[in-house]
């Protein structure tokens, strides 16, 4: 192929590093079962909803034999939700483990996300196809999608597709919502005595699919390294030109893990952490004032430039806006049909204002027109506001600018303020996976196969000890129900995997909080540079700062 870059060719040849136990002959690995588990909350409701898969034990792979490993199998894999670097390596891990266990076994890829299993749209992944995607970014091998598997009709169709094609195992590579889908599908397949098992893999650049057992979701490492490279470059530019404030919104949905990790890597002047905004009950005015104070303090030192990181979910965490969004979510879910009959934006806004509570109606009216429109945009299939489409960075530039103008009039500020808005998200989702993500994902794929071959269902593949070199990693599986609780979605209580938000008493936030005042007024930028794939291990194989701090490494 002539359109291959030299790096792409080199990455094809990269051999991901596996945990020690997975390096053995696949026939010599078995699943050791731990104690029964329970969900993080709402145990009674969840037991009721998942009577067949609830409470299964945690699994660890060890030396031993599993007579089922060598069975001829047909496995189907789904890539679900937003792209995250390393997805192709999860598939490569499943593929290699499956073929090592039995070369006659077949791996199918469901095309375009969960809709592929419902519609029976799939392709066989051959050696040739697999080799063209190893260690590369993107989900283009089979495509991805955001269809939510939630109706009995969809489950039944998926079951028929698997039965018709003798598929005995399904791997769902996705985030919290997609793995919730996986758990529901596993329960359904079991209820139907189908013998078809389902396991998940923790994917999302957002880093919010983690808990005390899942140390990180794949893709977070590469995406944050990519964003940090860009932020570092912008910091260099800001410090060279000394004339712009750069407001950079970073993907991550509700959680601020990405913003926090990038702040730890680049030491910007401002980084807002949504979880802190909520905890301190800060209003939009408070957030604006906090940023303005830094601009004024720097201006007083003649530093009329800077870099501010804004997590994309911030708007939801400002308590008054959060309440507004939650009312809007319920309203738009319950009255979707009526809302769709309102043809003009003015009609929509008038009706919304009328239906909202008095406080939310006031907040809604006070927002700029563009933000109002973005808040009324379609929800994603899981009922979430699409925060990537809300231009919070521009809103903050506008509000900070107005505040500085008022201060100028009163003679309280005489510096300059010229701001540029950026949004980094899509830039990082399909980068070549870092060595960490390449290795981690390959191990996850391997583990997913081993869970299926042990006959386990309703699990998520897991690797622990990730702050150590790959040979010391500990692979296994966690029952999905263990991570679940009940939440309000589309106006109803639904079982979902609990999102991990930034913990304000966690080591990463504490490390940031201890230094941010210094970073605000000084110009202490650090320049992580581009991800390195070849070279010394301390340059190429390091996990994220968040992971290291969380593990006390
Ligand atoms: P997942 O939760 O599916 O991993 O997606 C992550 C994400 O990149 C978010 O950070 C972002 O808000 C969203 O996807 C954007 O969605 P879309 O790709 O549909 O624009």
């Amino acid at each position: 192929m002539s359109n291959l870059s030299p790096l792409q060719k080199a990455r094809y040849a990269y051999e991901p590093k596996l945990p020690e136990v997975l390096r053995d002959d696949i026939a010599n690995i078995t699943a050791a079962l731990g104690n029964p588990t329970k969900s993080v909350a709402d145990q009674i409701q969840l037991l009721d909803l998942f009577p067949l898969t609830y409470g299964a034990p945690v699994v660890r792979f060890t030396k031993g034999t599993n007579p089922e490993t060598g069975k001829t199998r047909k496995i189907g894999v789904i890539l679900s939700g937003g792209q995250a670097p390393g997805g192709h390596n999860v598939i490569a891990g499943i593929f290699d483990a499956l073929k090592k266990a039995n070369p006659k076994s077949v791996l199918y890829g469901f095309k375009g996300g969960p809709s592929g299993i419902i519609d029976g749209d799939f392709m066989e992944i051959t050696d040739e196809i697999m080799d063209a995607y190893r260690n590369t970014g993107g989900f283009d091998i089979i495509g991805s999608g955001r269809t939510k598997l939630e109706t009995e009709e969809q489950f039944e169709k998926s079951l028929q597709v698997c039965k018709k094609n003798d598929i005995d195992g399904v791997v769902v590579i996705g985030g919290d919502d997609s793995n919730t889908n996986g758990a529901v599908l596993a329960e359904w397949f079991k209820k139907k005595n189908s013998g078809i098992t389902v396991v998940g893999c923790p994917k999302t650049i957002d880093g919010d699919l983690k808990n005390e057992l899942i140390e990180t979701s794949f893709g977070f490492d590469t995406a944050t390294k990519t964003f940090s490279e860009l932020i570092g470059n912008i910091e260099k530019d800001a410090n060279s030109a000394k004339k712009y404030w750069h407001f950079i919104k970073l993907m991550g949905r509700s959680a601020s893990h990405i913003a926090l990790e990038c702040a730890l890597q680049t030491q910007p002047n401002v980084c807002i952490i949504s979880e802190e905004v909520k905890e301190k009950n800060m209003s939009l005015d408070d957030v604006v004032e906090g940023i303005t104070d830094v601009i004024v303090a720097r201006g007083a030192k003649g530093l009329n430039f800077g870099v501010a990181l804004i997590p994309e979910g911030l708007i939801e965490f400002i308590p008054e806006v959060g309440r507004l969004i939650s009312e809007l979510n319920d309203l738009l879910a319950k009255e979707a049909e009526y809302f769709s009959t309102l043809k003009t934006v003015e009609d929509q806004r008038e009706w919304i204002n009328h239906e909202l509570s008095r406080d939310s109606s006031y907040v809604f009216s006070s927002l700029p027109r563009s933000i109002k429109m973005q808040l009324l945009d379609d929800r994603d299939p899981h009922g979430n506001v699409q925060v990537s489409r809300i231009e919070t960075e521009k809103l903050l530039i506008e509000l900070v600018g107005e505040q500085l103008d008022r201060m100028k009039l009163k003679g309280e500020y005489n510096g300059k303020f010229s701001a540029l808005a950026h949004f980094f998200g899509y830039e990082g989702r399909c980068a070549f996976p870092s060595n960490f993500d390449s290795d981690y994902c390959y191990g996850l794929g391997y583990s997913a196969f081993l869970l299926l071959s042990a006959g386990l269902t309703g699990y998520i593949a897991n690797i622990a000890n990730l702050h150590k070199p790959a040979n010391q990693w500990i692979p296994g599986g966690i029952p999905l129900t263990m991570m679940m609780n009940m939440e309000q979605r589309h106006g109803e209580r639904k079982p979902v995997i609990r999102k991990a938000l930034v913990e304000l008493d966690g080591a990463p936030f504490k490390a940031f909080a201890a230094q941010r005042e210094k970073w605000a007024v000084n110009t202490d930028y650090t320049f992580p540079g581009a991800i390195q794939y070849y070279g010394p291990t301390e340059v190429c194989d390091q996990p994220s700062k968040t992971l290291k701090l969380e593990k006390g490494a």
Side-chain angles (χ1 to χ4, degrees), residues 80-84 139 144-146 174-178 203-208 217-218 227 250-255 258 312-313 380-382 384-389 423-426 429 499:
S80 182
Q83 285 65 249
F139 278 6
S144 186
R146 291 200 184 276
D176 50 344
D177 287 327
S178 312
K203 171 238 71 168
T204 178
I205 63 161
D206 300 346
D208 57 1
S217 55
F218 80 75
F227 302 146
L250 291 161
M251 257 192 186
R253 273 190 211 282
S254 309
I258 290 184
E312 74 170 1
D380 76 5
H382 303 278
N384 306 315
V385 174
Q386 305 201 51
V387 277
S388 60
R389 300 202 195 161
F423 170 35
F424 297 153
Y426 299 97
R429 298 200 313 181
K499 257 190 207 311

Side-chain angles (χ1 to χ4, degrees), residues 228-376:
S228 297
E229 180 206 350
L230 299 175
I231 296 163
N233 295 349
I234 283 184
E235 288 177 337
K236 219 17 157 188
D237 197 287
N239 196 21
S240 306
K242 302 194 191 297
K243 61 178 179 178
Y244 294 126
W245 263 90
H246 295 269
F247 281 54
I248 305 173
K249 185 176 77 164
L250 291 161
M251 257 192 186
R253 273 190 211 282
S254 309
S256 307
H257 299 294
I258 290 184
L260 178 56
E261 171 67 21
C262 292
L264 291 167
Q265 287 195 35
T266 61
Q267 306 190 176
N269 308 104
V270 173
C271 174
I272 311 285
I273 300 296
S274 308
E275 292 81 345
E276 185 183 25
V277 168
K278 185 170 182 184
E279 175 71 21
K280 293 188 171 162
N281 206 10
M282 289 166 78
S283 64
L284 191 51
D285 287 346
D286 295 333
V287 174
V288 169
E289 205 177 298
I291 301 174
T292 311
D293 285 349
V294 176
I295 294 171
V296 172
R298 286 179 67 76
K301 292 171 75 181
L303 305 172
N304 291 309
F305 66 92
V307 170
L309 306 185
I310 321 288
E312 74 170 1
L314 172 66
I315 196 95
E316 285 183 304
F317 280 71
I318 295 171
E320 72 259 25
V321 186
R323 282 190 289 274
L324 163 68
I325 290 178
S326 134
E327 281 187 38
L328 285 175
N329 286 351
D330 286 355
L331 198 56
L332 295 174
K334 279 193 199 125
E335 306 289 346
E337 216 169 296
Y338 179 70
F339 187 71
S340 67
T341 64
L342 300 171
K343 293 291 172 238
T344 67
V345 176
E346 285 65 36
D347 286 351
Q348 289 178 351
R349 287 209 311 256
E350 197 186 316
W351 178 75
I352 289 279
N353 258 328
H354 183 257
E355 295 297 311
L356 289 171
S357 66
R358 215 171 54 127
D359 287 352
S360 291
S361 168
Y362 173 75
V363 175
F364 189 66
S365 313
S366 66
L367 292 170
R369 186 174 191 274
S370 57
I371 302 285
K372 278 195 194 104
M373 307 273 295
Q374 288 154 13
L375 286 177
L376 294 183

